[in-house]
Amino acid sequence: MTEQPTPLLSVEAVSKSYGAQIGCKDVSFDLYPGEVMGIVGESGSGKSTLLNCLAGHLPPDTGRVMFDTRTDGPCDTLAMSEPERRMLSRTDWAFVHQNARDGLRMGVSAGGNVGERLMAVGARHYRGIREQAVDWLGRVEIDAHRIDDRPRTFSGGMQQRLQIARNLVTGPRLVFMDEPTGGLDVSVQARLLDLLRGLVRDLGLSAIIVTHDLAVVRLLADRLMVMKSGHVVEEGLTDQVLDDPQHAYTQLLVSSVLQV
Amino acid sequence: MIRNTPIRSCLSALSCKFEERRMITLENVSKTFTLHNQGGAVIEAIADVSLSVTPGECVALTGASGAGKSTLMRLIYGNYLAKTGTIHVGDLEIKRAKPHDIIALRRDTLGYVSQFLRVVPRVPTLDVVAEPLRAIGRPADNAKDRAADLLTRLNIPQTLWSLSPTTFSGGEQQRVNIARGFAHPYPALLLDEPTASLDGSNREVVLDLIQEAKRRGAAIIGIFHDEIARAQICDREIDVSSFTVGKAA
């Protein structure tokens, strides 16, 4: 119906084993600009292994991960040199960790955490950096007067929002998220989800979200991939997979959710 | 670098409306549910459905509760996966379509007013209603003006617009849902009991909205338990029970 755009990320037969143990096996998919994909599955299903392979944190055993770069078009990120990949992860990619402490520098002020990312891509003007930090703290609903406080004085929800600001300030095109709402209160979760949805829509971001929370993917993800024991057992439109699951495991997953 | 082309797909949906006279077409569609965790029980929901709806036409699905009316709508919306047959909305075949094609179809061409409102917590009512217009790239002011018009017509007091509809009464939620469903002039619409749980005056407003959609050429499939409403706005009735096979366990 629409003209086929170039996928932003094209994953071809990615596999990763830990010895005899399968991490993820033969995963392929295309992610288009502006699309949000959810990956669900129980603990140990390989979803975090896959995310780390895609984000360049973990080298897969086989497969290709093609990213549509701004300058050279689709490039295999696994074949890139380390400095090239590091530059990509500062400019075009962002990674939101489940534990905000893994994504923040706890000894540096909130403003410093946001500003550091800007400096890493070449910003040198103090006032400009500070203004952008204030702007981003506002967007993630952190009071500007907390800019000089260290993140260890922040609540869990605030730390997570700060991590998101730090990640998005450089205008990435692809965001990897590992259980972004894990370990947060339900009310804090709702606020974070609302925030993420707005940012994804307004900035036209593509995202891959790993979670075990089906309510999170229903709200955020256009598409869903269900993993079990390292394999993708089902994928499709999020509401179709959740409302009309085809695979036995997905049916079990959906029917196990407590109704409130 | 224009990669997403919502305007273009909107245009193609409009032009196909005039080229071929069918907007929604189902051919030999059947749907079964296999319950793998309950001994592999197979429930046959509907079998061998063929129907088509042309622009400007409103077709009512009838049949007893459980006959498969909502199932049929969900199949057309791409929410359920058909077992056999083909479903076309405009020129897109739903069963083979990729997720991003279905998302584009739902954004530009095919609207669905379900029986229940499902929203993100904390989002104000005005934004909930304006969202379909924001999704096709309308400026915020313009989208909110249209949302305000619809909420006014549907008698939602302005004092509620800045609140999330999650705390509203059933009837209010239903009206917010309808306002949202009619914000963008979709060329095709699915309506699941749009007048249920509404009082007389609000029911009239909804029937007017449906008439207006028909006049601008929308192809509509609806479920109406309200017989008078059905007689007033529907051009044809299709009894879904005739497609239902005896339910096997």
Side-chain angles (χ1 to χ4, degrees):
Chain A
M1 191 165 155
T2 44
E3 199 180 307
Q4 206 74 337
T6 312
L8 185 65
L9 190 75
S10 191
V11 178
E12 298 166 23
V14 165
S15 297
K16 172 77 187 170
S17 298
Y18 304 100
Q21 184 67 37
I22 292 173
C24 61
K25 181 84 182 152
D26 212 13
V27 179
S28 301
F29 66 88
D30 288 332
L31 185 77
Y32 291 91
E35 253 188 336
V36 178
M37 190 172 87
I39 304 176
V40 297
E42 61 200 355
S43 303
S45 59
K47 49 193 200 303
S48 292
T49 296
L50 176 63
L51 193 73
N52 283 315
C53 285
L54 301 180
H57 295 174
L58 202 63
D61 302 332
T62 56
R64 291 207 303 173
V65 179
M66 307 292 290
F67 180 76
D68 187 16
T69 59
R70 290 183 218 229
T71 45
D72 304 321
C75 291
D76 188 352
T77 62
L78 303 172
M80 278 179 190
S81 68
E82 191 52 40
E84 278 177 314
R85 195 160 53 228
R86 206 178 308 136
M87 198 58 202
L88 200 62
S89 68
R90 280 183 196 149
T91 54
D92 279 6
W93 292 359
F95 197 102
V96 177
H97 296 265
Q98 169 173 8
N99 195 332
R101 266 160 285 167
D102 296 336
L104 291 174
R105 295 255 311 259
M106 299 306 281
V108 175
S109 70
N113 264 287
V114 178
E116 190 182 47
R117 280 278 293 204
L118 286 169
M119 285 165 70
V121 295
R124 287 292 174 268
H125 191 282
Y126 176 77
R127 220 175 71 195
I129 293 170
R130 179 128 178 138
E131 272 167 15
Q132 264 193 290
V134 170
D135 175 46
W136 267 94
L137 291 180
R139 288 206 219 186
V140 298
E141 305 172 10
I142 294 175
D143 257 337
H145 77 263
R146 301 295 302 268
I147 189 167
D148 295 318
D149 293 348
R150 294 189 179 178
R152 73 166 66 92
T153 65
F154 287 6
S155 68
M158 277 172 79
Q159 287 181 0
Q160 195 58 294
R161 280 179 276 135
L162 179 63
Q163 190 194 184
I164 288 165
R166 174 180 162 95
N167 270 285
L168 297 188
V169 67
T170 48
R173 292 190 294 154
L174 175 59
V175 185
F176 300 99
M177 297 189 218
D178 192 2
E179 303 273 9
T181 58
L184 298 177
D185 271 329
V186 185
S187 59
V188 178
Q189 266 192 29
R191 187 173 183 190
L192 192 70
L193 286 175
D194 178 23
L195 177 77
L196 283 173
R197 241 172 84 103
L199 289 172
V200 164
R201 190 193 58 205
D202 297 344
L203 305 175
L205 299 175
S206 302
I208 299 178
I209 302 173
V210 161
T211 180
H212 62 268
D213 189 335
L214 299 183
V216 168
V217 287
R218 197 188 270 277
L219 284 180
L220 285 181
D222 305 314
R223 290 163 60 185
L224 192 58
M225 206 154 89
V226 183
M227 291 188 74
K228 184 182 192 304
S229 315
H231 296 265
V232 175
V233 294
E234 185 165 355
E235 61 183 311
L237 200 65
T238 301
D239 61 280
Q240 183 262 302
V241 172
L242 294 179
D243 293 340
D244 187 15
Q246 307 292 309
H247 191 276
Y249 175 68
T250 318
Q251 291 185 358
L252 185 67
L253 208 62
V254 170
S255 65
S256 305
V257 176
L258 296 173
Q259 300 284 327
V260 282
Chain B
M1 188 181 68
I2 301 167
R3 283 195 171 152
N4 280 332
T5 52
I7 295 164
R8 196 198 185 109
S9 66
C10 219
L11 283 176
S12 77
L14 282 173
S15 62
C16 83
K17 189 166 87 181
F18 293 112
E19 277 157 25
E20 49 173 274
R21 288 290 295 157
R22 290 165 167 188
M23 188 64 211
I24 303 171
T25 311
L26 278 70
E27 277 168 21
N28 309 109
V29 173
S30 67
K31 173 66 191 162
T32 57
F33 295 95
T34 307
L35 309 177
H36 293 290
N37 301 302
Q38 293 176 48
V42 176
I43 296 169
E44 235 176 300
I46 48 171
D48 211 23
V49 178
S50 296
L51 62 87
S52 66
V53 185
T54 56
E57 193 182 25
C58 179
V59 172
L61 300 179
T62 62
S65 187
K69 303 184 290 295
S70 294
T71 298
L72 198 53
M73 286 217 187
R74 284 165 173 255
L75 285 166
I76 298 168
Y77 199 58
N79 181 231
Y80 284 172
L81 216 55
K83 184 185 167 210
T84 61
T86 57
I87 301 170
H88 282 91
V89 178
D91 50 9
L92 186 71
E93 206 284 296
I94 303 293
K95 221 178 111 195
R96 283 197 310 266
K98 290 196 164 181
H100 68 266
D101 289 328
I102 303 248
I103 288 163
L105 181 84
R106 291 175 177 183
R107 185 184 58 219
D108 303 325
T109 311
L110 180 63
Y112 176 40
V113 177
S114 64
Q115 278 179 278
F116 303 100
L117 181 68
R118 194 196 285 275
V119 293
V120 187
R122 286 204 338 149
V123 178
T125 296
L126 195 65
D127 293 341
V128 167
V129 176
E131 200 192 281
L133 291 170
R134 299 284 289 130
I136 56 163
R138 285 271 204 101
D141 292 354
N142 178 301
K144 284 185 182 179
D145 285 349
R146 169 78 180 147
D149 281 349
L150 283 162
L151 289 169
T152 307
R153 277 185 76 177
L154 286 155
N155 303 306
I156 302 285
Q158 197 169 347
T159 46
L160 297 181
W161 296 359
S162 58
L163 307 175
S164 161
T166 41
T167 54
F168 291 5
S169 75
E172 284 164 347
Q173 288 198 4
Q174 171 75 343
R175 279 178 279 149
V176 172
N177 207 14
I178 289 165
R180 181 183 160 87
F182 281 89
H184 169 56
Y186 297 104
L189 266 175
L190 304 170
L191 307 173
D192 196 343
E193 298 226 41
T195 55
S197 75
L198 295 185
D199 60 30
S201 60
N202 284 313
R203 180 175 156 276
E204 287 307 314
V205 176
V206 174
L207 296 182
D208 282 347
L209 284 170
I210 299 173
Q211 290 287 16
E212 286 166 22
K214 280 177 70 176
R215 274 200 295 275
R216 65 169 167 77
I220 302 172
I221 296 182
I223 300 172
F224 303 93
H225 282 302
D226 178 349
E227 273 177 49
I228 304 160
R230 198 160 53 196
Q232 221 175 311
I233 52 168
C234 295
D235 306 293
R236 270 190 298 143
E237 291 187 7
I238 294 176
D239 186 357
V240 176
S241 326
S242 58
F243 304 122
T244 316
V245 228
K247 291 195 177 159

